[in-house]
Amino acid sequence: MEIKRYEQRILIPDEGKYLYNEDAQVISDKVFLGINADENEWIEITEEQKQEIEKQLYEELEVE
Amino acid sequence: MALINKLSAIGNAIREKTGKTDLLTLEQMPQEIKSIETAGGGDSWYDAFWDEYQLNGARVKYDYGFTGSGWNTNIFKPKYDIKPTDASYMFYGASGLRIDLAEYLEALDIDLDFSNCINFSWLIYGSSIKRLGVIDMRKVNTNNNANSVFRQGGADNLETIDKVIVSEKYPLGNNSFTNCTKLKDITIEGNITGNFAIGSSSKLTDDSVNSIINALADLTGTTAKTITFNTTVKNNLTEEQIATITSKNWTLA
């Protein structure tokens, strides 16, 4: 039997804020990081910024 | 032969029979064919249309094949099995096809086989299809060809995908499940190797969620990728499921 242990890292934004990963184009309210994932890929954004990013992503989708 | 040329050939064949000269829309063609009087009667219009449209069963390029709201169950009755090499935009905007596609084709005894298909982009966007059968994507040959595959627009009717056999080299694009709000059942076969977003789908069954989690490739020692579930699904994941995801070096968002 093999016992594996690892640390579960969870990113939780401040209240009213969100997390954004530009490369993956993902906005989230809570992120469970992969075992070797870089937490610096995620930045905290405000509700206003979230709406702006979602608008941009939607516009990009529409012109595909 | 390009699709427009094929349609023109069908139009010419109909005009030759009717003696009319007006151009025909796709929606008008079946009625015009029906109106042609034939000595033998029977299904000659059906055979004429589908023999031409499916090249007597030899057609493989089905890009834009059944595009548009004019396709409905009165018209969409293929005569030959469908084994496309190109299925891009195949059912794009087919809002008249409010059907369980797998069951519908089975009833017609038509086999829809994607195992030779290299392009699935925008496969069913804007259609009303409720269920898809097996979508074998192993021969996809570019990232673009795996873009917006199941993406919904308009009807947003898709509830079930029996099985998606994914390509490891060209994984499903981030927009492949955009607006799939009614999707409940999906089975994934093969390894998911790229960022995977299914964030619109809040109704996924436990079996579907487990199928997706189990299909995530083990990325240990490589760059982490991100899987995005709908918040409702994410909040219902067990600690064990979350550990399974993150221990394979996937970030859950």
Side-chain angles (χ1 to χ4, degrees):
Chain A
M1 180 186 294
E2 184 183 12
I3 300 175
K4 287 185 178 178
R5 294 181 194 277
Y6 69 96
E7 182 184 54
Q8 178 67 73
R9 293 172 297 154
I10 307 172
L11 300 179
I12 301 171
D14 289 343
E15 196 173 338
K17 293 187 176 179
Y18 298 86
L19 298 161
Y20 176 53
N21 182 326
E22 188 175 5
D23 282 345
Q25 295 192 327
V26 172
I27 296 171
S28 179
D29 59 350
K30 189 178 185 181
V31 168
F32 298 82
L33 288 165
I35 189 167
N36 303 128
D38 181 0
E39 66 264 30
N40 294 316
E41 290 179 348
W42 295 87
I43 60 169
E44 206 172 51
I45 57 172
T46 63
E47 175 69 37
E48 268 184 359
Q49 289 171 311
K50 174 177 175 275
Q51 288 177 11
E52 185 61 29
I53 291 165
E54 284 175 336
K55 189 179 162 194
Q56 283 174 11
L57 292 176
Y58 181 78
E59 284 169 356
E60 282 174 23
L61 283 176
E62 289 306 298
V63 298
E64 275 178 10
Chain B
M1 186 187 284
L3 178 62
I4 189 70
N5 293 333
K6 290 173 189 167
L7 289 171
S8 294
I10 294 171
N12 289 337
I14 294 170
R15 282 188 288 275
E16 196 175 294
K17 288 284 184 188
T18 61
K20 296 177 183 174
T21 55
D22 292 345
L23 293 176
L24 297 167
T25 65
L26 187 60
E27 288 82 359
Q28 292 170 324
M29 287 181 180
Q31 192 53 46
E32 282 295 309
I33 294 170
K34 272 184 183 175
S35 71
I36 298 169
E37 291 181 13
T38 57
D43 292 334
S44 57
W45 71 270
Y46 168 84
D47 289 325
F49 180 84
W50 287 103
D51 287 350
E52 182 70 30
Y53 205 68
Q54 294 191 278
L55 305 177
N56 295 307
R59 181 173 178 175
V60 292
K61 284 184 64 61
Y62 277 92
D63 43 322
Y64 298 92
F66 307 110
T67 291
S69 57
W71 288 99
N72 56 44
T73 50
N74 291 325
I75 298 170
F76 181 62
K77 291 181 178 174
K79 180 177 173 182
Y80 301 99
D81 288 344
I82 301 170
K83 193 167 185 176
T85 56
D86 188 343
S88 56
Y89 300 87
M90 189 172 176
F91 293 101
Y92 187 95
S95 55
L97 290 178
R98 185 173 284 275
I99 54 173
D100 174 331
L101 184 65
E103 186 181 82
Y104 181 85
L105 290 176
E106 191 178 346
L108 293 176
D109 199 24
I110 297 297
D111 188 25
L112 175 56
D113 178 357
F114 288 105
S115 62
N116 281 340
C117 191
I118 62 169
N119 192 349
F120 293 81
S121 58
W122 299 82
L123 178 70
I124 56 168
Y125 181 81
S127 83
S128 300
I129 290 170
K130 285 175 65 176
R131 176 183 159 222
L132 292 168
V134 177
I135 309 294
D136 185 345
M137 299 185 65
R138 284 174 292 184
K139 290 203 175 159
V140 163
N141 61 357
T142 69
N143 287 325
N144 270 347
N145 288 354
N147 178 42
S148 297
V149 179
F150 306 109
R151 184 172 161 184
Q152 297 288 285
D156 182 17
N157 223 23
L158 186 65
E159 293 178 6
T160 301
I161 306 169
D162 287 359
K163 187 192 287 184
V164 185
I165 307 176
V166 293
S167 160
E168 291 191 21
K169 192 170 180 185
Y170 301 105
L172 281 162
N174 237 12
N175 300 320
S176 284
F177 295 95
T178 298
N179 294 332
C180 287
T181 62
K182 292 184 182 168
L183 184 63
K184 293 178 193 166
D185 296 302
I186 180 170
T187 300
I188 306 275
E189 187 175 300
N191 286 323
I192 299 170
T193 55
N195 291 331
F196 189 88
I198 193 161
S200 301
S201 306
S202 62
K203 298 177 180 175
L204 293 175
T205 63
D206 289 343
D207 284 347
S208 299
V209 171
N210 282 329
S211 176
I212 294 167
I213 292 173
N214 290 336
L216 297 175
D218 188 344
L219 301 177
T220 307
T222 65
T223 305
K225 303 285 185 188
T226 301
I227 177 165
T228 309
F229 278 121
N230 182 274
T231 301
T232 301
V233 173
K234 187 169 70 173
N235 290 342
N236 285 333
L237 292 174
T238 64
E239 285 186 14
E240 188 182 353
Q241 285 173 313
I242 294 171
T244 301
I245 294 168
T246 57
S247 67
K248 291 197 281 188
N249 200 21
W250 283 82
T251 290
L252 169 63

